[in-house]
Structures are given as C-alpha cells and as structure tokens.
C-alpha cells in the first residue's frame, strides 16, 4: 500500500452487508475462523461491535468483539496478509477499543495463542497485560494467553471511527 493509500484508508463500523468481505478477509488472514452463519450473527447483533479499514473498496483490516456489560471481549483482529506491518492492526484495534468505550466498556480482554508472536506483540504494544494462561486451550495444543486492558474514562478516549 502506498503512503497515499494509507492516508485515504476509510474506517467504518462493520455491518451485515459486509458479510462477504469479512468472510473473505477471515479466510485469507485466519484460514476461516467462522463460517457464514457465525459471521452473520457477529455482524447482526448490536452487542458485537466491529470495525473495518477499507482501501479503495477492499476490506484490509478488521477487529470485532462482544460487549458483556462493561467488558469488551475481543474476538477477531485480522489484517490482510499483504498489508501487514504498516500499522493497520494497531489502527483497527484502537478504533474498536474507542468504539467499545463509547458503548460503555471499561475493560477489554482477549485470548491469544502464546505462539502468535505478532498478535501478542501488538496487544502488549497497546497496553494489554498478561493475566493468565489456559494450557492446551487450542485444538493444536497451543496454550492461550489471557490479557486485559483497563480503558480510560470515555472523555479521554481517542477518537475511533463510527
Ligand atoms: C496480528 C496482526 C493483526 C498484526 O497486524 P499488523 O497490521 O501487521 O500490525 P501493526 O503493523 O499494526 O503492528 C503494530 C505493532 O505490533 C507488533 N507487531 C505486529 N506484527 C509483528 C510481528 N510480526 N512481529 C513482532 N511484532 C509485531 C509491533 O510492536 C508493531 O509495532 P511496530 O511495527 O512499530 O514495531 C496480523 O499479523 C494478523 O492479521 N495476523 C493473523 C490474524 C491473527 O493472528 N489475529 C490475532 C488473533 S484473532
């Protein structure tokens, strides 16, 4: 992506009509975490906020979560494999956290495979702190790292999109 394209990235909340784009990016980035029905629920339910970054009509990054009272449980963060290490993961996750704060989240949490060094580094970079390990949590036997982030009061929140 050129510098000019990076400047022109569009940031929007994910909606039901983005289903195909989300499924395609899920397939390219995560090997198909969710099927069509699961993505449909993810995009349709009000308590499941999501954010997408778009470049010239193509979805290049997305992040989504489930809001449980005042906790935002991050479920997906994915960047197009051809567009990584340009700050898109950081940008889309920050936008989701800001969006979650405006919906009442005071904390964010997630589980990530300890072997996923890129994601663990991204989350630590954004201030997530380790809170425990679930041994053998994933199907391939990988451990899951549990992380938490306390979100600042909403007035101090960075502006996200949406
Ligand atoms: C994890 C992921 C979202 C990161 O997206 P990205 O756009 O490449 O990340 P960014 O460019 O915003 O990186 C932000 C920071 O995260 C860390 N980071 C990101 N990728 C990294 C890597 N491969 N190795 C080490 N640190 C990394 C760095 O601290 C980086 O800051 P820097 O570039 O200034 O050093 C991306 O690799 C991805 O989509 N992976 C597959 C899907 C996945 O595993 N999602 C998480 C579980 S749902």
């Amino acid at each position: 992506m050129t510098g000019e394209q990076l400047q022109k990235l569009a940031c929007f909340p994910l909606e039901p009509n983005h289903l195909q784009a989300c499924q395609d990016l899920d397939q390219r980035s995560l090997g198909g975490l969710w099927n069509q029905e699961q993505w449909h629920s993810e995009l349709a339910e009000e308590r499941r906020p999501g954010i997408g970054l778009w470049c010239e009509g193509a979805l290049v990054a997305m992040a989504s979560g489930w809001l449980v009272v005042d906790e935002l449980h991050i479920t997906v963060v994915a960047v197009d494999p051809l567009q990584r290490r340009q700050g898109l993961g950081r940008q889309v996750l920050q936008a989701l956290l800001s969006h979650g704060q405006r919906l009442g989240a005071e904390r964010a949490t997630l589980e990530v495979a300890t072997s996923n060094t890129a994601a663990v580094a991204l989350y630590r970079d954004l201030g997530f702190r380790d809170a425990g390990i679930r041994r053998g949590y994933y199907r391939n036997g990988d451990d899951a790292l549990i992380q938490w982030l306390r979100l600042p009061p909403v007035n101090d929140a960075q502006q996200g999109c949406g």
Side-chain angles (χ1 to χ4, degrees), residues 81-130:
L82 299 176
Q83 307 297 347
R84 291 185 185 160
R85 293 314 289 268
Q86 299 178 91
L88 303 188
R90 184 189 285 122
Q91 191 177 333
V92 78
L93 186 51
Q94 277 176 332
L96 177 68
L97 294 171
S98 297
H99 190 53
Q101 280 173 279
R102 289 197 296 275
L103 296 173
E106 294 181 4
R107 300 177 277 285
T109 185
L110 53 85
E111 276 145 6
V112 58
T114 50
S115 58
N116 191 344
T117 47
V120 170
L122 167 65
Y123 302 145
R124 287 196 178 131
D125 187 61
L126 282 176
F128 280 85
R129 295 291 166 251
D130 302 350

